[in-house]
């Protein structure tokens, strides 16, 4: 992939890459309060409905951490956050109904606001999911519909260039990425064909790992996306289905094969990507991107293992097509695509009140 490195930081491309390597890794540190309160039951299928409300807010101190130029194609879709607070943000470049002349970007935004473009795609493509390994390697998916020479999963190399490590068929829609705890296998959600692929991080064939009606898109929807967000957590792969509005959990067996598809919750149209605030609990925080197709509200939801959920942020908190969440310590990060006018594309941050978040899970 052709690279166009743009530095507001003063370091060179290789030194910036080494900096990222040294400091990357999704943080799993949480407060002592969270550790005490986590006693969530194991995930079980259930029909989603709002859980009880609490007097204390789950997320406070919400602010805009970084603003982007929507008209230039800076449309945030996904993010990872490293141990030192550096954000790796995927930019779509264009959207459904947008003029498809902008190039997608993979951008690094430091905790102090310095920006570096790590990778640049071609006009008409999208850079969708991304994830960061414990060794600092950045992996990302390029959605180049119809182009078998470009469609697939890439990683950043030490010299600042990119390498495609797995090719995908031209009719595939590569989206969310997840890395297994060993750091040897990537999982990829194909939002068009309803497939979860497994891919060796060293590169090789993208092998269909999971298929089924629960992963498929709904052909009558204006924006047709099936399996979307993806996380490996507590021995299972968790998957959101955008059109079907469901959250799914699939146990990964000792042999690496998928167990049965288990529906955790439903009734959440345009359910996008999500994250787990603690390594112990199955409580998660998800983005509901309703304004992307005028199919529901823009909300950030706390979703519980028993299938209940509650909104913790809404459009009143500045949400504008929220697409993904990430957590580092007690900080919540949210990518906003900015699809509705006035196209407020940005990353928001807020502080998680773990006592308020996890009280429901302790019952």
């Amino acid at each position: 992939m052709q690279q166009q490195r743009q530095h507001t930081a003063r370091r060179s491309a290789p030194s910036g890459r080494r900096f990222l390597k040294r400091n990357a890794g999704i943080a799993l540190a949480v407060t002592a309060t969270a550790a005490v309160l986590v006693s969530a039951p194991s995930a079980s299928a259930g029909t989603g409905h709002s859980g009880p409300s609490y007097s204390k807010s789950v997320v406070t101190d919400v602010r805009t951490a970084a603003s982007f130029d929507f008209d230039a194609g800076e449309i945030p879709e996904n993010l990872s956050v490293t141990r030192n607070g550096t954000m790796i943000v995927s930019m779509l470049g264009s959207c459904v109904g947008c003029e498809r002349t902008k190039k997608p970007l993979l951008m690094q935004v430091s905790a102090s606001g310095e920006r570096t473009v790590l990778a640049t795609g071609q006009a008409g493509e999208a850079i969708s999911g991304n994830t960061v390994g414990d060794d600092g390697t950045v992996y990302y998916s390029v959605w180049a519909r119809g182009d078998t020479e470009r469609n697939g999963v890439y990683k950043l190399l030490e010299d600042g260039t990119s390498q495609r490590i797995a090719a995908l068929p031209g009719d595939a829609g590569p989206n969310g990425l997840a890395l297994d705890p060993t750091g040897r296998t990537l999982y990829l959600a194909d939002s068009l064909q309803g497939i979860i692929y497994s891919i060796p991080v060293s590169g090789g064939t993208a092998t269909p790992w999971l298929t089924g009606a629960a992963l498929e898109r709904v052909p009558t929807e204006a924006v047709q996306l099936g399996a979307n967000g993806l996380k490996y957590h507590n021995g299972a792969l968790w998957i959101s289905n955008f059109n079907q509005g469901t959250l799914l959990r699939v146990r990964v067996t000792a042999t690496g094969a998928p167990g049965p598809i288990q529906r955790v919750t439903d009734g959440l149209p345009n359910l996008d990507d999500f994250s787990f605030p603690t390594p112990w609990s199955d409580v998660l925080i998800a983005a509901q991107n309703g304004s992307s197709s005028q199919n529901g509200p823009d909300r950030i939801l706390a979703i519980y293992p028993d299938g209940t959920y509650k909104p913790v942020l809404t459009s009143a908190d500045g949400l504008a097509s929220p697409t993904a969440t990430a957590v580092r310590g007690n900080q919540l990060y949210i990518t906003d695509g900015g699809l509705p006018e006035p196209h407020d594309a940005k990353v928001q941050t807020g502080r998680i009140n773990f006592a308020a978040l996890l009280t429901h899970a302790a019952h």
Side-chain angles (χ1 to χ4, degrees):
M1 174 173 287
Q2 181 182 2
Q3 303 298 307
Q4 295 182 2
R5 306 300 301 273
Q6 300 175 3
H7 289 272
T8 52
R10 293 178 181 173
R11 58 183 176 270
S12 65
S15 64
R17 179 75 183 101
R18 289 193 296 270
F19 174 84
L20 182 61
K21 272 265 190 179
R22 288 196 302 269
N23 294 282
I26 302 301
L28 296 177
V30 294
T31 63
T33 301
V36 172
L37 287 173
V38 174
S39 57
S42 60
S44 58
T47 300
H49 58 278
S50 296
S53 59
Y54 300 95
S55 57
K56 292 186 178 180
S57 298
V58 170
V59 181
T60 60
D61 302 326
V62 179
R63 66 179 184 86
T64 296
S67 295
F68 302 106
D69 186 347
F70 182 94
D71 292 333
E74 296 180 357
I75 305 172
E77 165 66 9
N78 202 275
L79 82 164
S80 301
V81 182
T82 67
R83 188 171 290 116
N84 71 329
T86 296
M87 296 180 284
I88 309 299
V89 185
S90 300
M91 304 285 192
L92 289 178
S94 58
C95 63
V96 175
C98 300
E99 185 181 3
R100 303 185 69 82
T101 59
K102 308 301 181 184
K103 295 180 178 180
L105 304 173
L106 185 70
M107 183 180 291
Q108 173 183 302
V109 183
S110 73
S112 62
E114 295 174 318
R115 304 182 186 202
T116 304
V117 172
L118 301 173
T120 303
Q122 297 181 0
E125 297 177 347
I127 293 179
S128 44
N130 77 70
T131 191
V132 182
D134 286 341
D135 65 350
T137 302
V138 177
Y139 305 91
Y140 62 97
S141 48
V142 172
W143 188 331
R145 193 167 186 174
D147 189 346
T148 57
E149 298 300 315
R150 303 272 304 159
N151 214 26
V153 176
Y154 293 71
K155 72 175 180 181
L156 289 179
L157 303 178
E158 289 280 3
D159 63 1
T161 62
S162 295
Q163 174 188 2
R164 187 168 71 159
I165 62 172
L168 288 171
D171 60 356
N175 203 336
L177 277 174
L179 190 61
D180 83 333
T182 69
R184 295 194 293 264
T185 302
L186 282 165
Y187 295 90
L188 170 76
D190 180 344
S191 293
L192 292 183
Q193 301 304 319
I195 300 171
I196 304 299
Y197 286 96
S198 65
I199 300 165
V201 298
S202 57
T205 301
T207 303
W209 183 80
L210 183 69
T211 61
L215 305 176
E216 294 175 359
R217 53 184 167 148
V218 177
T220 56
E221 290 289 336
V223 178
Q224 296 178 22
L225 298 171
N228 190 324
L230 208 59
K231 292 292 183 293
Y232 196 117
H233 175 77
N234 274 351
L237 201 64
W238 298 68
I239 309 157
S240 63
N241 187 308
F242 191 82
N243 286 159
Q244 296 189 35
T246 54
L247 176 70
L248 309 171
R249 179 183 181 272
V250 181
R251 185 176 62 87
V252 181
T253 69
T255 63
I261 298 176
Q262 179 183 37
R263 180 175 295 184
V264 178
T265 195
D266 57 15
L268 295 171
N270 293 28
L271 188 63
D272 217 313
D273 216 333
F274 54 91
S275 56
F276 290 88
T278 83
W280 310 287
S281 172
D282 285 347
V283 177
L284 60 88
I285 299 179
Q288 188 179 14
N289 182 4
S291 63
S292 64
S293 62
Q294 298 181 347
N295 191 22
D298 281 347
R299 300 190 296 186
I300 300 299
L301 302 167
I303 302 179
Y304 296 91
D306 63 1
T308 61
Y309 52 81
K310 63 180 180 181
V312 297
L313 294 174
T314 69
S315 55
D317 299 290
L319 298 179
S321 300
T323 55
T325 67
V327 176
R328 182 185 67 87
N330 69 348
Q331 290 294 304
L332 174 67
Y333 297 76
I334 303 161
T335 45
D336 287 286
L339 298 185
E341 294 283 356
H343 300 310
D344 187 15
K346 61 192 174 186
V347 172
Q348 293 176 279
T349 61
R351 186 163 57 197
I352 300 172
N353 179 342
F354 280 100
L357 174 66
L358 298 171
T359 296
H360 175 59
H363 293 287

Short mmCIF file of all heavy atoms in Angstrom, two decimals, residues 103 200 217 286:
data_model
loop_
_atom_site.label_atom_id
_atom_site.label_comp_id
_atom_site.label_asym_id
_atom_site.label_seq_id
_atom_site.Cartn_x
_atom_site.Cartn_y
_atom_site.Cartn_z
N LYS A 103 -9.23 9.52 0.05
CA LYS A 103 -8.43 8.35 0.42
C LYS A 103 -8.58 8.05 1.91
O LYS A 103 -8.49 8.96 2.73
CB LYS A 103 -6.96 8.59 0.09
CG LYS A 103 -6.68 8.73 -1.41
CD LYS A 103 -5.21 8.96 -1.68
CE LYS A 103 -4.94 9.05 -3.18
NZ LYS A 103 -3.51 9.28 -3.47
N PRO A 200 -3.41 -16.25 10.23
CA PRO A 200 -2.17 -16.24 11.01
C PRO A 200 -1.51 -14.86 10.93
O PRO A 200 -1.44 -14.26 9.85
CB PRO A 200 -1.31 -17.31 10.33
CG PRO A 200 -1.87 -17.44 8.95
CD PRO A 200 -3.33 -17.12 9.04
N ARG A 217 -26.05 -10.16 6.81
CA ARG A 217 -26.69 -8.85 6.71
C ARG A 217 -28.17 -9.02 6.35
O ARG A 217 -28.61 -10.12 5.99
CB ARG A 217 -25.99 -7.99 5.66
CG ARG A 217 -25.86 -8.67 4.31
CD ARG A 217 -25.07 -7.84 3.32
NE ARG A 217 -24.70 -8.61 2.15
CZ ARG A 217 -24.58 -8.11 0.94
NH1 ARG A 217 -24.81 -6.82 0.73
NH2 ARG A 217 -24.22 -8.86 -0.08
N ALA A 286 -20.72 -0.64 24.23
CA ALA A 286 -20.87 -0.74 22.78
C ALA A 286 -21.40 0.56 22.18
O ALA A 286 -22.10 1.33 22.85
CB ALA A 286 -21.83 -1.89 22.43
#
